[in-house]
Amino acid sequence: MSQISSRIWSDEEVERLIGWRRALHRHPELGYTEEKTSDLVAGILEQAGYAIRRGLAGTGVVGELGRGGRSLLIRADMDALPIQEVNEVDYRSENEGVMHACGHDGHVAMALLTAQRLAAKPTENGSVRMVFQPAEEGLGGAKKMIEEGVLGPEPPDAAIGIHLWNGLPVGEVVVRPGPLMASVDEFEIVIRGRGGHGAIPQQTVDAILVASHLVVAAQSIVSRNVDPFHPAVVTFGSLHAGKVFNIIAQEARLKGTVRTLDDAEWRAMPERLERIVAGVCATFGAEYSLDYHRTNRATVNEASFTGLVREVVEQVVGPEVRDDVQTMAGEDMSEFLDRVPGCFLLLGSANAARGLSSPHHSPTFDFDEACLPIGAEILTRVAERFLGPNE
């Protein structure tokens, strides 16, 4: 990695970034309850001169700067996770059972510094819309904000967001056109058999046996239905059935997720899964119900704007920008990118030498705060470039 090029981050800027991040980390809030987080965000934006809208999706905050011309939406998600933090740090979560275990505290901090920088040198050629979104973690916050008008009567010309990524060392950046993160579907299957005595199985339809065959059979969807060049995942994360050792269970309840990067595969998945469920249950004489819920589609970057972002990132971190990383994790930034051409990028945040490499959604998750000025620099330069007179 070449030496990072910057406008020179002042000690005061870095201190503010880390201060905001740690304050947010100490006081994490779950989706749709981000009251203190929203207050902090709104106060900083208002002081910087932004026109503020609050209350979208309950706790969302939008700040608008400038008018006319081109417009850029910069999005940061605010919610934490229902995880008990075990890190021994002085900014450890003070909210029992709630933790910023995915880097959203860093996302908010980077966006706030970007907002201040842009307000200090406002463009005459367009406007920036800072969107601080609640409830990203599977709760549909982006879609709800859009339904309540965050894009306005005239949607922005482009959108950008950054996700800190502990799968990469601090300073590495992933910018790639096309699918970056997967769709997220959730399903629940209830199998209904006929219970009975564990020693007299011929009188029963064993829901546990049916469920066991179903879990195995469903793996054939990826291995035999999906194009091998189109990544997909079918995961069963929960199976509950029976309570007593000598009673054959009458009902089994299974929950899981389906992930895809390709739109055609995404569309085909519900029918594929139901065909397997129906076939296995028919084989054993069981009945079933299937509840299949779409959370969000794949996060897909538009090629032209992503090319602009890559040029900017190369100016910040050097030419070694990566385009070889995709993940089957999902992000509801996809809701914005379905409607507005844009780019979502991954910013390396791990530092194994300092013990900062735990995976996202882990009770030991933490990241190297040296990534934060890099992210703020990228967002600021992209805004200045996109809204500049020559673009």
Side-chain angles (χ1 to χ4, degrees), residues 33-55:
T33 70
E34 304 96 335
E35 301 290 348
K36 291 182 179 179
T37 304
S38 296
D39 288 343
L40 173 69
V41 167
I44 293 169
L45 291 180
E46 193 167 27
Q47 188 174 30
Y50 284 77
I52 306 296
R53 281 189 291 165
R54 301 191 65 175

Side-chain angles (χ1 to χ4, degrees), residues 65-67 70 118 121-128 383-384 387-389:
L65 184 73
R67 63 178 64 186
R70 296 158 69 86
L118 294 175
K121 188 181 178 182
T123 176
E124 297 178 358
N125 302 291
S127 62
V128 62
E384 292 175 342
L387 301 176

Side-chain angles (χ1 to χ4, degrees), residues 19 52 135 176 192 227 265 271 302 317 356:
I52 306 296
R176 59 170 292 145
R192 298 179 182 87
D227 186 325
E265 305 291 2
E271 188 274 334
E302 189 269 333
V317 301
L356 300 171

